[in-house]
């Protein structure tokens, strides 16, 4: 089992940047694939990005390609989501997910979820 805690959300103006972090417990973090999803008010949770256990494979939603970057530091048990050129439509609660199989392809999520962090982009 792994516990996930997201941080780094906040209020930012359109065009600005934020970096989200997801800290994971457990000694096997380096074996987990990790991902980010988001959920806007009144909408379903949607895929944002995933990264494989060693960082060798990443996938992004079309809506964030070229603006968001997912990365991980296995020594710190942390996965990051660097978000640039933010838009009001990026406003959502952002969730971290983990999968012990090591690979998450586009749209896939794992069995473990964090509590989420709110990102609000003002126009």
């Amino acid at each position: 089992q792994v516990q996930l805690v997201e941080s780094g959300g906040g209020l930012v103006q359109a065009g600005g940047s934020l970096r989200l972090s997801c800290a994971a417990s457990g000694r096997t973090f380096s074996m987990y694939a990790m991902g980010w999803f988001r959920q806007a008010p009144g909408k379903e949770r949607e895929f944002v990005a995933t990264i494989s256990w060693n960082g060798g494979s990443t996938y992004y939603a079309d809506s964030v390609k070229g603006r968001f970057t997912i990365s991980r530091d296995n020594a710190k048990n942390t996965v990051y989501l660097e978000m640039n050129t933010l838009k009001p439509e990026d406003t959502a609660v952002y969730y971290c997910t983990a999968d012990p199989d090591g690979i998450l392809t586009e749209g896939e999520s794992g069995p473990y979820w964090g509590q989420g962090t709110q990102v609000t982009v003002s126009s």
Side-chain angles (χ1 to χ4, degrees):
Q1 182 118 10
V2 61
Q3 278 80 46
L4 305 172
V5 179
E6 302 95 336
S7 62
L11 174 63
V12 64
Q13 289 188 331
S17 299
L18 282 174
R19 188 176 80 156
L20 305 183
S21 300
C22 174
S25 65
R27 291 175 289 180
T28 57
F29 172 81
S30 62
M31 300 173 62
Y32 281 68
M34 302 295 296
W36 289 95
F37 282 66
R38 67 188 181 185
Q39 187 167 18
K43 295 188 177 181
E44 294 187 355
R45 192 171 296 189
E46 65 174 7
F47 163 73
V48 176
T50 61
I51 188 167
S52 61
W53 66 277
N54 63 352
S57 296
T58 57
Y59 296 89
Y60 295 93
D62 288 342
S63 59
V64 307
K65 280 180 183 176
R67 300 189 298 121
F68 290 11
T69 302
I70 189 170
S71 62
R72 64 189 297 158
D73 185 338
N74 286 344
K76 296 183 178 179
N77 279 20
T78 302
V79 64
Y80 304 98
L81 186 69
E82 184 75 34
M83 306 186 295
N84 298 314
T85 320
L86 282 161
K87 304 175 182 180
E89 51 264 44
D90 295 317
T91 295
V93 178
Y94 283 71
Y95 297 91
C96 178
T97 184
D99 189 281
D101 288 340
I103 294 286
L104 285 173
T105 58
E106 184 175 349
E108 286 188 326
S109 61
Y112 305 111
W113 292 90
Q115 299 283 32
T117 185
Q118 175 71 47
V119 171
T120 302
V121 185
S122 63
S123 57

